[in-house]
Amino acid sequence: MSVGPGDVKICASCGRAMAWRKAWAKNWDDVRYCSNACRSRKLKAVDHDLEAAILRLLSQRSGGATICPNEAAKVVEPDDWRALMEPARSAARRLVASGDVVITQQGAIVDPSFAKGPIRVRRA
């Protein structure tokens, strides 16, 4: 298998796509994080709780229904949910990478790595 420009992986922390870089040529198979910030943050228990909350909320809704990531944040931390907004978006991006959900904006499926502004999450 040849590795080179055009190859893409998903960051294990933030869920964004990361493209092959020449600096990673020797260890591309071992690359898991897109940046030093993601490498230092890693996944914590709250990140797994957010993923589980997203899947649980979606399982309680009808087939095409969507949720906002803040709903999962409110389930995990009802009193301080605003601090979990970006981690909830990251959890949704990781679930997209695993094929469990899709992210939409204005009803259209979007690439989670480049989505800016309000997003909705629904089952794949």
Side-chain angles (χ1 to χ4, degrees), residues 11 58 78 110 122:
C11 177
L58 287 172
V110 296
R122 77 167 187 233

Side-chain angles (χ1 to χ4, degrees), residues 2 5-6 10-11 14 17 29 33 36 38 49 62 74 76 80 83-84 94 99-100 109 120-122 124:
S2 91
I10 302 299
C11 177
C14 69
D29 291 336
Y33 303 102
N36 288 334
C38 283
D49 292 345
S62 64
K74 288 176 183 177
V76 172
D80 190 23
L84 292 180
R94 288 190 303 275
D100 294 325
I109 296 174
R120 302 290 294 180
V121 182
R122 77 167 187 233

Side-chain angles (χ1 to χ4, degrees), residues 46-123:
V46 70
D47 296 311
H48 298 294
D49 292 345
L50 287 165
E51 289 177 12
I54 289 170
L55 293 174
R56 188 171 50 253
L57 287 167
L58 287 172
S59 71
Q60 296 169 353
R61 309 268 170 104
S62 64
T66 63
I67 64 163
C68 181
N70 74 3
E71 294 177 53
K74 288 176 183 177
V75 167
V76 172
E77 190 61 53
D79 297 329
D80 190 23
W81 62 271
R82 284 181 177 82
L84 292 180
M85 278 307 300
E86 186 51 38
R89 289 174 67 99
S90 295
R93 286 192 296 266
R94 288 190 303 275
L95 289 171
V96 168
S98 69
D100 294 325
V101 302
V102 294
I103 291 179
T104 64
Q105 285 184 317
Q106 299 178 349
I109 296 174
V110 296
D111 182 348
S113 294
F114 303 106
K116 302 239 188 268
I119 61 170
R120 302 290 294 180
V121 182
R122 77 167 187 233
R123 281 183 264 172

